[in-house]
């Protein structure tokens, strides 16, 4: 019996990994060919628009742009699988090194935003589900509507105007104050963690002050999404037969809601949280731009504006791989937590 379960699990993992491989290959192909048909000349980004014709042609040959597209794609595929995303025109560094430098900033921002969404969104959604038609329900629905509707760049600008420029409660754009930048060694790339590891608590407070506002903007979006989905899942669970049975047996309402209802709702809710986290990782471009946050989204945006296609392709592939990886991990966790999903 155990061997059958192990074989079944191995088969499931194999199918999932095959799906991931095909998805990533498709992502690579789509991203590469879209970059090639864009009205941007990568040669000019390298040599400049005033370069002589012979220099232009030599650079074109060195980049392999004289070859058929399918051959160019095959060469690029081989380089990617060896960990070579090319060299960035904007920074003159290997793209993979730039991504290693900027991705922790996006990871830190998205992680805190998701934690805010979980901390506020789940209790709010549960409260709304148990108080349908009353003021907690109306409040949760208003927060959900507001979080979805308000443009995040406008919210960020208003937050900077009020809490930074007027009240001075938080620090402004950037990741840490200029006076601390040269004293914090990038051990992990996550600023709060690096400050804590080095015991520099003044720098830690300064970094946290810079992080509060942008993470709160992302946290509002995450709260809106998680609270709405929690409300929907909890309403379904509270109508199930086992909930009615638990109430008939005299179990306390708090235990019925939080231990039984929410526990069963957590399996689909896990997928929602993972999707919210992946969305913040890939969709924080506007937030990073408004707050001058040196993350992956801002890096891709600046690279696109500079026609740095190697950096754009590398950043897009990393974002897609992270999104696919989070979804795969969530599916596996759902199968472990819920036998019905196996």
């Amino acid at each position: 019996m155990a061997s059958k379960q192990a074989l079944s699990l191995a088969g499931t993992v194999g199918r999932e990994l095959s799906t991931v491989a095909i998805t990533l290959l498709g992502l690579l192909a789509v991203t590469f060919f879209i970059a090639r048909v864009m009205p941007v000349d990568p040669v000019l980004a390298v040599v400049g628009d005033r370069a002589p014709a012979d220099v232009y042609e030599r650079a074109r040959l060195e980049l392999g742009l004289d070859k058929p597209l399918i051959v160019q794609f095959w060469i690029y595929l081989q380089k990617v699988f060896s960990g070579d995303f090319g060299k960035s025109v904007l920074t003159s560094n290997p793209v993979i090194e730039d991504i290693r430098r900027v991705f922790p900033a996006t990871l830190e921002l998205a992680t805190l935003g998701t934690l805010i969404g979980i901390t506020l969104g789940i209790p709010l959604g549960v409260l709304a589900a148990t108080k349908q038609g009353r003021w907690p329900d109306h409040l949760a629905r208003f927060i959900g509507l507001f979080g979805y509707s308000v443009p995040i760049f406008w919210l960020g600008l208003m937050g900077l105007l009020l809490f930074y420029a007027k009240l001075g409660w938080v620090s402004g754009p950037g990741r840490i104050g200029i006076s601390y930048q040269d004293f914090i060694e990038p051990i992990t790339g996550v600023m709060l963690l690096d400050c804590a590891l080095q015991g520099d608590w003044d720098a830690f407070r300064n970094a946290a002050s810079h992080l509060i506002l942008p993470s709160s903007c992302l946290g509002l979006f995450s709260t809106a999404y998680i609270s709405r989905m929690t409300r929907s899942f909890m309403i379904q669970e509270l109508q199930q037969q086992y909930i009615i049975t638990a109430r008939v047996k005299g179990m306390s309402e708090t235990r019925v809601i939080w231990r039984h209802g929410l526990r069963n709702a957590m399996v689909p809710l896990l997928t929602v949280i993972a999707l919210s986290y992946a969305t913040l990782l890939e969709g924080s471009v506007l937030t990073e731009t408004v707050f001058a946050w040196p993350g992956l989204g801002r890096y891709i945006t600046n690279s696109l504006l500079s026609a740095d296609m190697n950096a754009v392709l590398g950043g897009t592939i990393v974002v897609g791989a992270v999104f696919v990886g989070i979804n795969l991990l969530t599916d596996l966790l759902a199968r472990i937590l819920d036998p019905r999903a196996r």
Side-chain angles (χ1 to χ4, degrees):
M1 185 69 177
S3 61
K4 288 183 178 180
Q5 290 180 347
L7 288 173
S8 176
L9 181 59
T12 300
V13 172
R15 287 192 297 271
E16 293 288 352
L17 290 177
S18 299
T19 303
V20 169
I22 295 171
T23 303
L24 290 178
L25 183 60
L27 174 66
L28 278 167
V30 171
T31 307
F32 178 84
F33 288 113
I34 287 178
R36 284 296 183 265
V37 300
M38 286 180 63
V40 175
D41 191 343
V43 181
L44 291 180
V46 175
V47 302
D49 55 0
R50 295 185 178 181
D54 59 327
V55 175
Y56 177 91
E57 188 61 26
R58 187 166 63 251
R60 182 170 174 271
L61 293 175
E62 289 176 357
L63 292 173
L65 298 178
D66 58 317
K67 297 179 175 64
L69 277 177
I70 191 66
V71 176
Q72 294 181 39
F73 177 64
W74 174 247
I75 295 172
Y76 184 74
L77 204 61
Q78 291 177 313
K79 289 182 178 180
V80 168
F81 284 132
S82 66
D84 181 12
F85 290 119
K87 200 170 185 179
S88 170
V89 176
L90 190 62
T91 65
S92 300
N93 298 325
V95 172
I96 191 67
E97 290 185 5
D98 284 342
I99 292 175
R100 286 184 188 141
R101 174 175 51 83
V102 300
F103 185 70
T106 297
L107 185 67
E108 184 177 34
L109 188 61
T111 300
L112 186 56
T114 303
L115 289 176
I116 292 173
I118 294 171
T119 304
L120 299 179
I122 292 179
L124 192 61
V126 172
L127 187 62
T130 57
K131 306 290 184 181
Q132 289 186 66
R134 298 163 66 178
W135 71 263
D137 188 20
H138 296 314
L139 175 64
R141 294 168 71 179
F142 171 78
I143 292 175
L145 181 63
F146 181 78
Y148 270 117
S149 303
V150 64
I152 199 163
F153 68 89
W154 179 87
L155 186 65
L157 291 173
M158 293 301 102
L160 283 172
L161 178 63
L162 177 61
F163 297 108
Y164 168 60
K166 295 292 184 182
L167 300 176
W169 290 356
V170 297
S171 299
R175 200 175 177 195
I176 195 170
I178 298 175
S179 58
Y180 296 99
Q181 288 180 357
D182 297 332
F183 298 97
I184 302 300
E185 183 181 351
I187 301 172
T188 65
V190 178
M191 187 62 69
L192 291 180
L193 186 57
D194 288 345
C195 292
L197 289 174
Q198 295 172 55
D200 193 336
W201 300 110
D202 288 336
F204 181 91
R205 285 188 288 270
N206 186 270
S209 182
H210 281 84
L211 183 60
I212 288 173
L213 203 52
S215 63
S216 297
C217 291
L218 294 180
L220 176 62
F221 173 81
S222 183
T223 299
Y225 182 45
I226 293 175
S227 65
R228 289 183 64 179
M229 298 307 297
T230 302
R231 177 183 182 274
S232 177
F233 293 147
M234 282 298 296
I235 288 175
Q236 293 178 7
E237 291 298 329
L238 293 176
Q239 295 173 351
Q240 299 299 316
Q241 189 65 41
Y242 74 91
I243 294 292
I244 298 174
T245 303
R247 284 170 172 164
V248 169
K249 287 183 176 180
M251 194 175 294
S252 67
E253 190 69 10
T254 301
R255 188 176 181 184
V256 169
I257 293 170
W258 292 97
R259 185 168 181 178
H260 294 280
L262 182 60
R263 184 176 181 179
N264 283 279
M266 279 305 297
V267 175
L269 192 58
L270 180 65
T271 303
V272 170
I273 293 171
L275 288 175
S276 175
Y277 186 44
T279 301
L280 295 189
L281 281 173
E282 70 167 357
S284 57
V285 176
L286 290 175
T287 305
E288 292 182 359
T289 301
V290 169
F291 289 94
W293 193 263
L296 183 59
R298 189 163 175 246
Y299 174 74
I300 295 175
T301 303
N302 291 338
S303 300
L304 184 61
L305 294 175
S306 303
D308 189 355
M309 299 314 298
N310 280 340
V312 173
L313 283 170
T316 304
I317 291 167
V318 168
V319 168
V322 169
F323 197 96
V324 172
I326 289 176
N327 277 280
L328 174 62
L329 180 61
T330 305
D331 288 342
L332 293 176
L333 287 176
R335 292 174 187 274
I336 294 172
L337 296 174
D338 187 3
R340 296 171 298 178
R342 295 173 190 168

